[in-house]
């Protein structure tokens, strides 16, 4: 039985790594035997060498920290504001009516479309980038929060009231946890899109950051550096996704095993 | 706690039905430590009545007087009244994000009871409703009957003077239901509380109660009050007695008549 389990696991691992390995081998073969200019597809070794070079001279860490910092600040303040306003709007119905048109109109504008304007207003520094990410995170969280809190089963509120809960206890002890699945869905989209928007805005207006590294590599026709950056970006994106799902389980332990069965 | 309901009226305003009168000219007296059951067709306003008594909904007109004080529905002031009243909802209303134990502790936490004491009281009540070993489970991991028992424990742990139960045993199998009925009677006798018990089970109502209230529908009001004089403590053998079966038959007739009339 144990052996069967092991060979099963081993088989799965093999199956999982089959495609990425074949891609690497194909890459290697194409560069070695194909007549492909290195500006289109650099040698694998060159990508690796670039990675070591940028790691050792500290540039990679520098651009990574700059990017992650922008992303984190924008995401944090944006989604905090989004959740905060969402809760307020759900609590005070007239406030929701007041904000309704404005919110739904500005939500409909893709946030990346605001980049040129923000650059005109605030230049090429950190602030417009963080602001753009913040705006996106805000709009991705405010509506799910509003809807999540608004749709909480009234029975839960009655339950808490019948045991003597006051408004504050209802808000923090009932409405927020009950709406958490919805709020968190918004936070998840906000987190992943923060990263997307960050790269976009760094590419079009960067002087630092991973997006800038990509654009800089394009200008100097340094394709291997581009590939290296893409792989780093991929790893970061992957980690971000994992982090979001991990915290979801921590924040909402009761949701475990409640997923839709497939 | 004793209770007097005078000329109670409840209207609901909804878009598709306009103004709907759920309860009208409803009068009811409940004595201190009395066990009262309410029977009536679906939609006659039983749940509505309980929620008004619990201060969770506001009546359109009429009065509810508990121990001489009127109940006022006010989200924050409701606490004063509500503290002595506990309600078990028809659909439980357990908090899905809290474990069985934390659900039961909720009311104690609201009242600021310290965690060690809370834990003790919760454990005691978990034992009482026979859910040992499920403390750390979330509601969705329990069966309907188990959830119902959690809801019961969550109400009882607050040691109410007035306990409102909305079809609390509906989701239980016959055996568990009998155990729970017996336990409820014991508890009622020991804790000296007043109970208003909504059910669709005529036999259950008669077995448990000092008096059975039969309600009629549209608008919901009290149609008949039947005192049950069988001596206590009662065990299940009373169900076999001539007196019990006669009462049961007459109540059944009363309910079905009504249904035919409105059919
Ligand atoms: N929030 C509400 N808004 C509008 N109408 C309501 C509302 N709550 C209840 N009603 C109506 O009031 C009537 C009484 O409802 P209630 O739930 O009190 O009945 P019930 O006697 O408990 O029924 P059941 O035995 O099926 O539980 C029903 O016709 C219902 O449609
Ligand atoms: Mg009901």
């Amino acid at each position: 039985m144990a052996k069967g389990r092991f060979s099963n696991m081993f088989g799965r691992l093999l199956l999982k790594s089959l495609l990425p390995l074949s891609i690497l081998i194909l890459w290697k073969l194409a560069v070695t035997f194909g007549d492909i200019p290195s500006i289109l597809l650099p040698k694998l070794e060159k990508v690796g060498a670039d990675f070591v070079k940028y790691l050792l001279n500290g540039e990679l860490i520098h651009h990574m920290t700059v990017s992650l910092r922008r992303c984190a600040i924008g995401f944090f303040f944006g989604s905090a504001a989004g959740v905060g306003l969402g809760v307020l709007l759900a609590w005070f119905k007239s406030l929701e009516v007041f904000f309704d048109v404005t919110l739904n109109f500005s939500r409909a504008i893709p946030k990346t479309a605001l980049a040129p304007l923000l650059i005109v207003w605030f230049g090429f520094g950190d602030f417009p980038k963080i602001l753009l990410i913040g705006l996106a995170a805000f709009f991705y969280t405010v509506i799910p929060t509003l809807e999540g809190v608004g749709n909480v089963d009234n029975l839960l509120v009655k339950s808490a009231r019948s045991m003597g809960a006051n408004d504050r206890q209802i808000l923090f002890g009932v409405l927020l946890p009950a709406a958490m699945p919805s709020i968190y869905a918004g936070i998840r989209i906000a987190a992943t899109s923060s990263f997307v928007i960050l790269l976009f805005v760094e590419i079009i207006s960067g002087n630092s950051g991973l997006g800038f590294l990509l654009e800089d590599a394009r200008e100097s026709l340094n394709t291997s550096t581009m590939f290296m950056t893409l792989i780093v970006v991929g790893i970061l994106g992957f980690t971000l996704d994992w982090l979001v799902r991990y915290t979801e389980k921590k924040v909402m332990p009761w949701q475990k095993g409640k997923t839709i069965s497939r | 706690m004793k209770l007097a309901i005078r000329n109670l009226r409840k209207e609901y305003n909804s878009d598709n039905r306009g103004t709907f009168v759920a309860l009208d000219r409803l009068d009811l007296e409940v004595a201190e430590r009395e066990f009262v059951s309410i029977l009536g067709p679906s939609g006659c306003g039983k749940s509505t009545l309980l929620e008004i008594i619990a201060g969770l909904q506001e009546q359109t007109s009429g009065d509810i007087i508990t121990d001489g004080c009127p109940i006022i529905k006010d989200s924050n002031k409701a606490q004063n009244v509500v503290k002595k009243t506990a309600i078990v909802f028809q659909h439980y209303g357990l908090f899905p994000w809290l474990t069985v134990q934390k659900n039961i502790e909720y009311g104690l936490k609201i009242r600021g009871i310290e965690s060690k004491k809370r834990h003790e009281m919760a454990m005691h009540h978990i034992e009482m409703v026979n859910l040992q070993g499920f403390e750390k489970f979330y509601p969705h991991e329990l069966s309907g009957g188990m959830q119902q028992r959690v809801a019961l424990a969550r109400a009882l742990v607050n040691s109410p003077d007035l306990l409102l139960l909305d079809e609390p045993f509906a989701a239980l199998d016959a055996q568990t239901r009998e155990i729970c009925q017996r336990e409820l009677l014991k508890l009622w006798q020991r804790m000296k509380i007043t109970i208003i018990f909504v059910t669709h089970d005529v036999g259950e109502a008669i077995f448990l109660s000092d008096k059975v209230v039969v309600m009629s529908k549209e608008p919901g009001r009290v149609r008949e009050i039947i005192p049950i004089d069988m001596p206590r403590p009662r065990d299940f053998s009373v169900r076999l007695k001539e007196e019990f079966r006669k009462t049961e038959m007459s109540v059944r007739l009363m309910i079905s008549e009504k249904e035919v009339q409105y059919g």
Side-chain angles (χ1 to χ4, degrees):
Chain A
M1 243 8 240
K3 194 170 166 251
R5 266 278 287 282
F6 174 75
S7 63
N8 203 345
M9 258 172 60
F10 185 71
R12 268 177 66 91
L13 207 66
L14 202 70
L15 190 63
K16 268 189 195 203
S17 42
L18 196 60
L19 188 59
L21 278 178
S22 331
I23 291 176
L24 286 181
I25 291 169
L26 262 176
W27 184 344
K28 180 90 184 120
L29 288 177
V31 174
T32 317
F33 300 109
D35 189 18
I36 302 174
S38 69
I39 190 167
L40 293 186
L41 196 62
K43 277 197 196 143
L44 257 180
E45 295 88 326
K46 181 77 179 49
V47 176
D50 270 13
F51 181 72
V52 175
K53 186 183 118 198
Y54 277 93
L55 201 63
L56 290 183
N57 70 13
E59 271 194 54
L60 186 59
I61 303 291
H62 166 70
H63 289 297
M64 227 165 85
T65 352
V66 165
S67 283
L68 289 180
R69 194 177 143 267
R70 289 171 179 159
C71 200
I73 297 176
F75 164 74
F76 178 79
F77 285 103
S79 46
V83 171
L85 187 69
V87 168
L88 274 179
L89 296 191
W91 192 271
F92 301 105
K93 286 290 170 216
S94 48
L95 211 58
E96 184 192 347
V97 178
F98 177 73
F99 275 105
D100 185 48
V101 178
T102 322
L103 216 54
N104 279 303
F105 177 76
S106 27
R107 186 166 73 119
I109 302 173
K111 295 306 141 313
T112 43
L114 292 177
L117 183 65
L118 291 186
I119 292 170
V120 169
W121 279 355
F122 303 110
F124 291 88
D126 271 355
F127 183 68
K129 298 183 181 69
I130 292 173
L131 184 61
L132 194 67
I133 294 166
L135 280 173
F138 171 80
F139 282 104
Y140 279 124
T141 46
V142 66
I143 305 290
T145 304
L146 169 60
E147 281 174 357
V149 175
N151 289 337
V152 171
D153 187 351
N154 198 234
L155 181 60
L156 297 177
V157 177
K158 279 183 187 166
S159 239
R161 285 249 190 263
S162 78
M163 290 180 275
N166 58 29
D167 282 354
R168 190 180 53 80
Q169 289 161 326
I170 297 274
L171 178 61
F172 290 102
V174 179
L175 294 181
L176 278 181
M180 199 44 90
S182 174
I183 294 175
Y184 210 81
I187 287 184
R188 226 161 67 183
I189 302 176
T192 36
S193 54
S194 298
F195 196 51
V196 174
I197 290 169
L198 169 85
L199 281 163
F200 167 78
V201 69
E202 279 179 351
I203 287 171
I204 65 161
S205 76
N207 42 23
S208 60
L210 292 169
F212 164 76
L213 209 58
L214 279 172
E215 178 62 11
D216 193 49
R218 185 192 63 78
E219 273 175 15
S220 52
L221 299 177
N222 193 351
T223 322
S224 62
T225 307
M226 222 147 138
F227 270 99
M228 179 220 48
T229 316
L230 280 179
I231 292 170
V232 170
V233 165
I235 292 171
L236 286 181
F238 192 83
T239 313
L240 184 68
D241 199 52
W242 177 84
L243 209 66
V244 167
R245 270 185 292 165
Y246 176 80
T247 46
E248 175 164 22
K249 278 197 198 113
K250 286 280 160 215
V251 178
M252 297 182 287
W254 72 93
Q255 289 280 326
K256 238 186 310 177
K258 221 179 165 186
T259 43
I260 303 155
S261 50
R262 274 185 286 187
Chain B
M1 190 190 276
K2 75 176 190 237
L3 194 73
I5 300 171
R6 305 264 162 74
N7 203 11
L8 192 72
R9 182 180 171 88
K10 173 69 186 177
E11 295 169 2
Y12 282 116
N13 294 305
S14 60
D15 296 337
N16 45 18
R17 204 153 54 164
T19 299
F20 175 76
V21 182
L23 297 170
D24 187 38
R25 276 186 276 159
L26 188 140
D27 292 290
L28 184 63
E29 303 271 340
V30 179
E32 182 92 41
R33 291 184 205 173
E34 197 171 24
F35 197 127
V36 177
S37 284
I38 300 179
L39 286 168
S42 183
C44 71
K46 304 181 292 296
S47 298
T48 303
L49 177 61
L50 289 198
E51 287 188 7
I52 294 175
I53 296 174
L56 298 170
Q57 290 202 48
E58 200 171 11
Q59 64 266 39
T60 308
S61 62
D63 297 304
I64 299 185
I65 297 152
T66 56
D67 291 337
C69 303
I71 287 184
I72 314 151
K73 195 228 163 208
D74 177 315
S75 49
N76 278 314
K77 277 184 215 135
Q79 291 180 78
N80 318 327
V81 187
V82 163
K83 247 190 293 185
K84 296 167 150 191
T85 305
I87 180 166
V88 175
F89 296 95
Q90 192 171 359
H91 304 289
Y92 327 137
L94 298 176
F95 303 124
W97 56 91
L98 297 181
T99 60
V100 166
Q101 187 194 328
K102 297 279 183 221
N103 258 289
I104 295 174
E105 285 182 17
Y106 185 85
L108 304 173
K109 197 171 173 189
I110 289 290
R111 292 203 317 241
I113 291 170
E114 51 123 7
S115 90
K116 195 160 156 281
K117 180 87 181 140
R118 279 202 317 253
H119 182 252
E120 235 166 65
M121 292 168 81
M123 283 307 163
H124 173 72
H125 282 81
I126 284 172
E127 222 164 278
M128 201 167 75
V129 294
N130 223 334
L131 283 171
Q132 301 98 311
F134 293 96
E135 299 85 358
K136 297 279 173 287
F137 279 55
Y138 288 102
H140 74 97
E141 298 170 314
L142 303 178
S143 74
M146 291 160 96
Q147 292 182 23
Q148 209 153 40
R149 282 180 279 153
V150 177
L152 194 61
R154 187 176 67 167
L156 289 174
V157 78
N158 298 306
S159 42
D161 292 338
L162 173 64
L163 182 59
L164 308 170
L165 300 168
D166 201 348
E167 304 186 33
F169 302 150
L172 304 183
D173 61 276
Q175 238 168 341
T176 318
R177 174 190 292 234
E178 282 186 6
I179 294 169
C180 283
Q181 288 171 354
R182 216 168 0 203
E183 286 303 313
L184 182 64
L185 280 185
K186 272 198 215 148
L187 206 109
W188 167 67
Q189 257 143 2
R190 195 178 65 230
M191 308 221 302
K192 304 182 164 52
I193 55 179
T194 309
I195 292 183
I196 303 180
F197 186 99
V198 169
T199 177
H200 283 290
D201 183 333
V202 177
E204 178 176 73
I206 298 170
F207 173 68
L208 293 172
S209 310
D210 295 320
K211 76 184 181 208
V212 173
V213 176
V214 179
M215 285 180 65
S216 59
K217 200 178 164 176
E218 275 166 42
R221 67 175 62 145
V222 173
R223 178 178 141 83
E224 201 96 36
I225 294 177
I226 302 131
I228 312 291
D229 294 323
M230 289 177 298
R232 293 184 191 267
R234 298 171 190 163
D235 63 33
F236 282 98
S237 62
V238 301
R239 286 174 177 254
L240 303 171
K241 288 203 175 126
E242 185 64 23
E243 189 190 351
F244 188 98
R245 304 217 322 253
K246 260 193 192 151
T247 318
E248 189 173 355
M249 196 43 83
S250 67
V251 174
R252 268 184 211 288
L253 278 174
M254 200 178 296
I255 291 171
S256 59
E257 247 173 56
K258 211 61 197 177
E259 272 167 16
V260 169
Q261 203 172 325
Y262 282 104

